């Protein structure tokens, strides 16, 4: 998963957010980051609070184990998941598969770049790699 990578304290999650949505949920991938629509407005840190609350609930991690490394005031963020769980990637894939549907990807507005291969990886429907013989 290109948006989730190892860090000495746990894992770093790259997130691209869209504030003021009707509900908070993951909707796909955008520019090698997880795209999350947030119900909160980007005012007084409300969107950041909503993102950390949603991640805490989705990953079943205490909020104290989530920290914004970069992007406190922007739409692109890096979140540190402070954990020693080695199965966090599998847990994350399972949690996202429940939320991320093909309809979410197909309904993404024109002009946005969702990497469908990464979305297939999240859902566990990745096509086998092609092998070429010479």
């Amino acid at each position: 998963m290109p948006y989730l990578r190892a860090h000495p304290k746990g894992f770093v999650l790259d997130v691209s957010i869209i504030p003021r949505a009707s509900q908070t949920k993951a909707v796909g991938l955008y520019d090698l980051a997880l795209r999350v629509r947030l119900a909160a407005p980007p005012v007084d840190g409300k969107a950041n609070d909503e993102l950390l609350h949603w991640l805490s609930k989705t990953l079943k991690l205490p909020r104290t184990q989530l920290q914004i490394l970069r992007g406190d005031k922007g739409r692109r963020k890096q979140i540190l998941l402070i954990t020693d769980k080695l199965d966090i990637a599998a847990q994350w894939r399972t949690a996202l598969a429940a939320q991320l549907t093909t309809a979410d990807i197909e309904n993404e507005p024109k002009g946005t770049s969702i990497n469908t291969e990464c979305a297939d990886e999240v859902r566990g429907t990745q096509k086998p790699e092609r092998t070429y013989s010479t």
Side-chain angles (χ1 to χ4, degrees):
M1 288 182 263
Y3 54 87
L4 184 66
R5 62 186 179 283
H7 183 275
K9 292 183 179 179
F11 295 90
V12 174
L13 177 68
D14 292 318
V15 181
S16 174
I17 66 159
I18 301 173
R20 290 193 174 113
S22 59
Q23 60 181 321
T24 299
K25 68 177 191 170
V27 293
L29 300 168
Y30 178 78
D31 195 24
L32 297 179
L34 179 67
R35 169 72 47 106
V36 178
R37 294 185 192 272
L38 298 174
V43 178
D44 299 327
K46 290 179 183 177
N48 289 338
D49 290 341
E50 177 74 16
L51 176 63
L52 294 178
H53 173 75
W54 177 79
L55 285 171
S56 174
K57 185 175 72 170
T58 303
L59 291 174
K60 297 176 180 71
L61 287 174
R63 188 149 172 189
T64 56
Q65 289 184 265
L66 301 172
Q67 178 183 4
I68 297 177
L69 291 178
R70 291 187 180 158
D72 189 40
K73 303 217 183 267
R75 289 181 180 226
R76 182 69 180 239
K77 301 179 185 300
Q78 289 184 347
I79 311 296
L80 176 61
L81 311 174
I82 303 169
T83 181
D84 57 355
K85 293 182 184 177
L86 296 177
D87 65 341
I88 194 78
Q91 182 181 353
W92 183 243
R93 180 178 288 142
T94 303
L96 280 182
Q99 292 187 18
L100 188 60
T101 65
T102 304
D104 290 327
I105 294 168
E106 291 170 353
N107 292 332
E108 192 67 17
K110 299 281 189 236
T112 58
S113 169
I114 289 184
N115 184 335
T116 54
E117 289 178 16
C118 292
D120 288 340
E121 178 185 340
V122 168
R123 289 192 303 269
T125 59
Q126 192 171 20
K127 296 176 185 170
E129 291 186 25
R130 294 182 183 172
T131 55
Y132 298 97
S133 59
T134 55

